[in-house]
Amino acid sequence: MSELVTGEAVALELRPARLPSRALAVLIDLIVVMVVYIAVTIAVVAASASLDDAAQVALSIAVFLLVLVGGPIAVETLSHGRSLGKLAVGLRVVRDDGGPIRFRHALVRGAIGVVEILLTFGVVACIASLVSARGRRLGDVFAGTLVVRERIPVAPSGFVPPPPPWLAGRFSELDLSAVPDGLWLAIRQYLTRMHQLDPQVGWAMAERLASDLATRTGAPAPRDVPPGAYLAAVVQERQVRESRRAFGSATAGAGPSPEVGPGPGAGTQGGHAYPGAGPTTSSSPPPLSEESSAGPRPTVPSEGRPASGFVPPA
């Protein structure tokens, strides 16, 4: 990914096109242009057979400039950076600030492209693209443009496991307004992939994310809650708030998501275990989810607490 900053100081993350995709797009464009050039040349020669040699040479130069040089420039200008080859491969030419190109950008790219692509058979363009960190040829450097990928494969979003039932509603008082979107994204990526990580690596990553989240919220992470469960509970609390904000009073009284019974083993919820959860030393069980029930809640003895620190509701 390449981070571009627009004139409004907005950072854009774009994926620059690499040499193989650009070479394929140029090859498609050259095939189309050469077919058109040959057809136009045959038509011009047939129409100018009665002219003298000087006039025929002038017409040949004009056809070369109009078709091989002016044609790509006109196509990129009118299509805002998408020629036929780039459209087939999924590429686009943009400015350095991420905006669409104009005639002057296409003119500079086309004029320099005659030298580095046509006259040198693409050798100069390949060398410049390999040397450049963002895969730009000389025409892109002088024109202030960049070829980026428009079609980026999107991986299917993973399932974020829910937190243990006894954590539902526990973090309803946290101030989440200072948590940046980048940290939320990192937490979601960890929760969706934590079962693929080594237990020690996953535990260290969860502790680091939990520490960052606690710093942003201004409240320390509870010691009796594993960091993975803490992250999942805070993410669920954010989702509940977003739902309330989006649907108003329809979900205002709904509260946290309904609790389900304990999973097949300690530290699981819906079959999803949080790795690396170690034993806790707290003498009292974590607070249970708030449910409307008559009479006092039964307590869970400390001897029966699971090793993962996940205590099912009484």
Side-chain angles (χ1 to χ4, degrees), residues 183-235:
L183 182 56
W184 287 123
L185 178 60
I187 293 174
R188 288 183 61 87
Q189 289 179 344
Y190 164 76
L191 292 177
T192 55
R193 302 175 183 176
M194 62 182 181
H195 301 292
Q196 305 173 4
L197 302 175
D198 180 79
Q200 295 182 353
V201 175
W203 179 265
M205 187 179 299
E207 283 186 333
R208 181 175 58 83
L209 292 174
S211 176
D212 294 343
L213 183 60
T215 302
R216 297 288 184 173
T217 57
R223 296 181 177 274
D224 59 340
V225 180
Y230 168 71
L231 296 175
V234 176
V235 168

Coordinates of all heavy atoms in Angstrom, one line a residue, residues 183-235:
L183 N -7.1 1.4 15.8 CA -7.0 0.5 16.9 C -8.2 -0.5 16.9 O -8.0 -1.7 17.2 CB -7.0 1.2 18.2 CG -6.8 0.4 19.5 CD1 -5.6 -0.5 19.4 CD2 -6.8 1.3 20.7
W184 N -9.4 0.0 16.5 CA -10.5 -0.9 16.4 C -10.2 -2.0 15.3 O -10.6 -3.1 15.5 CB -11.8 -0.1 16.1 CG -12.4 0.7 17.2 CD1 -12.6 2.0 17.2 CD2 -12.8 0.2 18.4 NE1 -13.2 2.4 18.3 CE2 -13.3 1.3 19.1 CE3 -12.8 -1.1 19.0 CZ2 -13.8 1.2 20.4 CZ3 -13.4 -1.2 20.3 CH2 -13.9 0.0 21.0
L185 N -9.7 -1.5 14.2 CA -9.4 -2.5 13.2 C -8.4 -3.5 13.6 O -8.5 -4.7 13.3 CB -8.8 -1.7 11.9 CG -8.5 -2.6 10.7 CD1 -9.7 -3.4 10.2 CD2 -7.9 -1.7 9.6
A186 N -7.3 -3.1 14.3 CA -6.3 -4.0 14.8 C -6.9 -5.1 15.8 O -6.6 -6.2 15.8 CB -5.2 -3.3 15.5
I187 N -7.9 -4.6 16.6 CA -8.5 -5.5 17.6 C -9.4 -6.5 16.9 O -9.4 -7.7 17.2 CB -9.3 -4.7 18.6 CG1 -8.4 -3.8 19.5 CG2 -10.2 -5.6 19.5 CD1 -9.1 -2.9 20.4
R188 N -10.1 -6.0 15.9 CA -11.0 -7.0 15.1 C -10.2 -8.0 14.4 O -10.5 -9.2 14.3 CB -11.9 -6.2 14.2 CG -13.0 -5.4 14.8 CD -13.9 -4.7 13.8 NE -14.5 -5.7 12.9 CZ -15.6 -6.3 13.2 NH1 -16.3 -6.1 14.3 NH2 -16.1 -7.2 12.4
Q189 N -9.1 -7.6 13.8 CA -8.2 -8.5 13.1 C -7.6 -9.5 14.0 O -7.5 -10.7 13.7 CB -7.1 -7.7 12.4 CG -7.6 -6.9 11.2 CD -6.4 -6.2 10.5 OE1 -5.4 -6.0 11.1 NE2 -6.7 -5.7 9.3
Y190 N -7.3 -9.1 15.2 CA -6.7 -10.1 16.2 C -7.8 -11.1 16.6 O -7.6 -12.3 16.7 CB -6.2 -9.3 17.4 CG -6.0 -10.3 18.6 CD1 -5.0 -11.2 18.7 CD2 -7.0 -10.3 19.7 CE1 -4.8 -12.0 19.7 CE2 -6.8 -11.2 20.7 CZ -5.7 -12.1 20.8 OH -5.6 -12.9 21.8
L191 N -9.0 -10.6 16.9 CA -10.1 -11.5 17.4 C -10.5 -12.5 16.3 O -10.9 -13.6 16.6 CB -11.3 -10.6 17.8 CG -11.1 -9.8 19.0 CD1 -12.4 -8.9 19.3 CD2 -10.8 -10.6 20.2
T192 N -10.4 -12.1 15.0 CA -10.8 -13.0 14.0 C -9.7 -14.0 13.6 O -10.0 -15.1 13.1 CB -11.1 -12.2 12.7 OG1 -10.0 -11.4 12.3 CG2 -12.4 -11.4 12.9
R193 N -8.5 -13.7 14.0 CA -7.4 -14.6 13.7 C -6.6 -15.2 14.9 O -5.6 -15.8 14.8 CB -6.3 -13.9 12.8 CG -6.9 -13.3 11.5 CD -5.9 -12.5 10.8 NE -6.5 -11.9 9.6 CZ -5.8 -11.1 8.8 NH1 -4.6 -10.7 9.1 NH2 -6.4 -10.6 7.7
M194 N -7.2 -15.0 16.1 CA -6.4 -15.4 17.3 C -6.3 -16.9 17.4 O -5.3 -17.4 18.0 CB -7.1 -14.8 18.5 CG -8.5 -15.3 18.8 SD -9.2 -14.6 20.2 CE -10.8 -15.4 20.3
H195 N -7.2 -17.6 16.8 CA -7.1 -19.1 16.9 C -6.0 -19.6 15.9 O -5.7 -20.8 16.0 CB -8.4 -19.7 16.6 CG -9.5 -19.3 17.5 ND1 -9.6 -19.7 18.8 CD2 -10.6 -18.5 17.3 CE1 -10.6 -19.1 19.4 NE2 -11.3 -18.4 18.5
Q196 N -5.6 -18.8 15.0 CA -4.5 -19.2 14.1 C -3.1 -18.8 14.6 O -2.1 -19.2 14.0 CB -4.7 -18.5 12.7 CG -6.1 -18.8 12.1 CD -6.4 -18.0 10.9 OE1 -5.5 -17.3 10.4 NE2 -7.6 -18.1 10.3
L197 N -3.1 -18.1 15.7 CA -1.8 -17.7 16.2 C -1.2 -18.7 17.3 O -2.0 -19.4 17.9 CB -1.9 -16.3 16.9 CG -2.4 -15.2 16.0 CD1 -2.6 -13.9 16.8 CD2 -1.5 -14.9 14.8
D198 N 0.1 -18.6 17.5 CA 0.7 -19.3 18.5 C 0.2 -18.8 19.9 O 0.0 -17.6 20.0 CB 2.2 -19.2 18.5 CG 2.9 -19.9 19.6 OD1 3.1 -21.2 19.5 OD2 3.3 -19.3 20.6
P199 N -0.1 -19.7 20.9 CA -0.7 -19.2 22.1 C 0.1 -18.1 22.8 O -0.5 -17.1 23.2 CB -0.8 -20.4 23.0 CG -0.9 -21.6 22.0 CD -0.1 -21.1 20.8
Q200 N 1.4 -18.2 22.8 CA 2.2 -17.2 23.5 C 2.2 -15.9 22.7 O 2.1 -14.8 23.2 CB 3.6 -17.7 23.7 CG 3.8 -18.9 24.6 CD 5.2 -19.3 24.8 OE1 6.1 -18.8 24.1 NE2 5.4 -20.2 25.7
V201 N 2.3 -16.0 21.3 CA 2.2 -14.8 20.5 C 0.9 -14.1 20.6 O 0.8 -12.9 20.7 CB 2.6 -15.2 19.1 CG1 2.4 -13.9 18.2 CG2 4.0 -15.7 19.0
G202 N -0.2 -14.9 20.6 CA -1.5 -14.4 20.7 C -1.8 -13.7 22.1 O -2.4 -12.6 22.1
W203 N -1.2 -14.3 23.1 CA -1.4 -13.7 24.5 C -0.7 -12.4 24.5 O -1.2 -11.4 25.1 CB -0.9 -14.7 25.5 CG -1.0 -14.1 26.9 CD1 0.0 -13.5 27.6 CD2 -2.1 -14.2 27.7 NE1 -0.5 -13.1 28.9 CE2 -1.8 -13.6 29.0 CE3 -3.4 -14.7 27.6 CZ2 -2.7 -13.5 30.0 CZ3 -4.3 -14.6 28.7 CH2 -3.9 -14.0 29.9
A204 N 0.6 -12.3 24.0 CA 1.3 -11.1 24.0 C 0.7 -10.0 23.2 O 0.6 -8.8 23.6 CB 2.8 -11.3 23.5
M205 N 0.1 -10.4 22.0 CA -0.6 -9.4 21.2 C -1.8 -8.9 21.9 O -2.1 -7.7 21.8 CB -0.9 -10.0 19.8 CG -1.5 -9.1 18.8 SD -1.8 -9.9 17.2 CE -0.1 -10.4 16.8
A206 N -2.6 -9.8 22.5 CA -3.8 -9.4 23.2 C -3.5 -8.4 24.4 O -4.2 -7.4 24.6 CB -4.5 -10.6 23.7
E207 N -2.4 -8.7 25.1 CA -2.0 -7.8 26.2 C -1.6 -6.4 25.7 O -2.0 -5.4 26.3 CB -0.8 -8.4 27.0 CG -1.2 -9.5 27.9 CD 0.0 -10.0 28.7 OE1 1.1 -9.8 28.3 OE2 -0.3 -10.5 29.8
R208 N -0.9 -6.4 24.5 CA -0.5 -5.1 24.0 C -1.8 -4.3 23.5 O -1.9 -3.1 23.8 CB 0.4 -5.3 22.8 CG 0.9 -4.0 22.2 CD 2.0 -4.3 21.1 NE 1.5 -5.2 20.1 CZ 0.7 -4.8 19.1 NH1 0.4 -3.5 18.9 NH2 0.3 -5.6 18.2
L209 N -2.7 -5.0 22.8 CA -3.9 -4.3 22.4 C -4.8 -3.9 23.5 O -5.3 -2.8 23.5 CB -4.7 -5.2 21.4 CG -4.0 -5.5 20.1 CD1 -4.8 -6.6 19.3 CD2 -3.9 -4.3 19.3
A210 N -4.8 -4.7 24.6 CA -5.6 -4.3 25.7 C -5.0 -3.1 26.5 O -5.7 -2.2 26.9 CB -5.7 -5.5 26.7
S211 N -3.7 -3.1 26.5 CA -3.0 -1.9 27.1 C -3.3 -0.6 26.3 O -3.6 0.4 26.9 CB -1.5 -2.2 27.2 OG -0.8 -1.0 27.7
D212 N -3.2 -0.7 25.0 CA -3.5 0.4 24.2 C -4.9 0.9 24.3 O -5.2 2.1 24.4 CB -3.2 0.1 22.7 CG -1.7 -0.1 22.4 OD1 -0.9 0.3 23.3 OD2 -1.4 -0.7 21.4
L213 N -5.9 -0.1 24.4 CA -7.3 0.3 24.5 C -7.5 0.9 25.9 O -8.3 1.9 26.0 CB -8.1 -1.0 24.3 CG -9.6 -0.8 24.4 CD1 -10.1 0.1 23.3 CD2 -10.3 -2.2 24.3
A214 N -6.9 0.4 26.9 CA -7.1 0.9 28.3 C -6.5 2.3 28.3 O -7.1 3.2 29.0 CB -6.4 0.0 29.3
T215 N -5.4 2.6 27.6 CA -4.9 3.9 27.6 C -5.8 4.9 26.9 O -6.0 6.1 27.4 CB -3.5 3.9 26.9 OG1 -2.6 3.0 27.6 CG2 -2.9 5.3 26.9
R216 N -6.5 4.5 25.9 CA -7.4 5.4 25.1 C -8.7 5.6 25.9 O -9.2 6.7 25.9 CB -7.7 4.8 23.8 CG -6.5 4.6 22.8 CD -6.1 6.0 22.3 NE -5.0 5.8 21.3 CZ -4.5 6.8 20.6 NH1 -5.0 8.0 20.8 NH2 -3.5 6.6 19.8
T217 N -9.1 4.6 26.6 CA -10.4 4.8 27.4 C -10.2 5.5 28.7 O -11.2 6.0 29.3 CB -11.1 3.4 27.6 OG1 -10.1 2.5 28.3 CG2 -11.4 2.8 26.3
G218 N -9.0 5.5 29.2 CA -8.7 6.1 30.5 C -9.0 5.2 31.7 O -8.9 5.7 32.9
A219 N -9.4 4.0 31.5 CA -9.8 3.0 32.6 C -8.9 1.8 32.4 O -8.7 1.3 31.3 CB -11.2 2.6 32.5
P220 N -8.2 1.4 33.5 CA -7.3 0.2 33.4 C -8.1 -1.0 33.1 O -9.2 -1.2 33.4 CB -6.6 0.2 34.8 CG -7.6 0.8 35.7 CD -8.3 1.9 34.9
A221 N -7.4 -1.9 32.3 CA -8.0 -3.2 32.0 C -8.1 -4.0 33.3 O -7.2 -4.1 34.1 CB -7.2 -4.0 31.0
P222 N -9.3 -4.7 33.5 CA -9.4 -5.5 34.8 C -8.5 -6.7 34.8 O -8.2 -7.3 33.8 CB -10.9 -6.0 34.7 CG -11.3 -5.9 33.3 CD -10.5 -4.7 32.7
R223 N -7.9 -6.9 36.0 CA -6.9 -8.0 36.1 C -7.5 -9.4 36.1 O -6.9 -10.4 35.8 CB -6.1 -7.8 37.4 CG -5.3 -6.5 37.4 CD -4.5 -6.4 38.7 NE -3.6 -5.2 38.7 CZ -2.4 -5.2 38.2 NH1 -1.9 -6.3 37.6 NH2 -1.7 -4.1 38.2
D224 N -8.8 -9.4 36.5 CA -9.5 -10.7 36.5 C -10.1 -11.2 35.2 O -10.8 -12.2 35.1 CB -10.6 -10.7 37.6 CG -11.6 -9.6 37.3 OD1 -11.3 -8.7 36.5 OD2 -12.8 -9.7 37.8
V225 N -9.8 -10.4 34.1 CA -10.3 -10.7 32.8 C -9.2 -11.0 31.9 O -8.3 -10.1 31.8 CB -11.3 -9.6 32.3 CG1 -11.8 -10.0 30.9 CG2 -12.4 -9.4 33.3
P226 N -9.1 -12.1 31.2 CA -8.1 -12.3 30.2 C -8.1 -11.2 29.1 O -9.2 -10.7 28.8 CB -8.4 -13.7 29.6 CG -9.2 -14.3 30.6 CD -10.0 -13.3 31.3
P227 N -7.0 -10.8 28.6 CA -7.0 -9.7 27.6 C -7.9 -10.0 26.4 O -8.5 -9.1 25.8 CB -5.5 -9.5 27.2 CG -4.9 -10.8 27.6 CD -5.6 -11.3 28.8
G228 N -7.9 -11.2 25.9 CA -8.7 -11.5 24.7 C -10.2 -11.4 25.0 O -10.9 -10.8 24.2
A229 N -10.6 -11.8 26.2 CA -12.0 -11.6 26.6 C -12.3 -10.2 26.8 O -13.4 -9.7 26.4 CB -12.3 -12.4 27.8
Y230 N -11.4 -9.4 27.3 CA -11.6 -8.0 27.5 C -11.8 -7.3 26.2 O -12.7 -6.4 26.0 CB -10.4 -7.4 28.3 CG -10.3 -5.9 28.3 CD1 -11.2 -5.1 29.1 CD2 -9.3 -5.2 27.6 CE1 -11.2 -3.8 29.1 CE2 -9.3 -3.8 27.6 CZ -10.2 -3.1 28.4 OH -10.1 -1.7 28.4
L231 N -11.0 -7.6 25.2 CA -11.1 -7.0 23.9 C -12.4 -7.3 23.2 O -13.1 -6.5 22.7 CB -10.0 -7.4 23.0 CG -8.5 -7.0 23.4 CD1 -7.5 -7.6 22.5 CD2 -8.4 -5.5 23.4
A232 N -12.8 -8.6 23.3 CA -14.1 -9.0 22.7 C -15.3 -8.3 23.4 O -16.3 -7.9 22.8 CB -14.3 -10.5 22.8
A233 N -15.2 -8.1 24.7 CA -16.3 -7.5 25.4 C -16.4 -6.0 25.1 O -17.5 -5.5 24.9 CB -16.1 -7.6 27.0
V234 N -15.3 -5.3 24.9 CA -15.3 -3.9 24.6 C -15.8 -3.8 23.1 O -16.6 -2.8 22.8 CB -14.0 -3.3 24.8 CG1 -14.0 -1.8 24.3 CG2 -13.5 -3.4 26.2
V235 N -15.4 -4.6 22.2 CA -15.9 -4.6 20.9 C -17.4 -4.8 20.8 O -18.1 -4.1 20.1 CB -15.2 -5.6 20.0 CG1 -15.9 -5.8 18.6 CG2 -13.7 -5.2 19.8

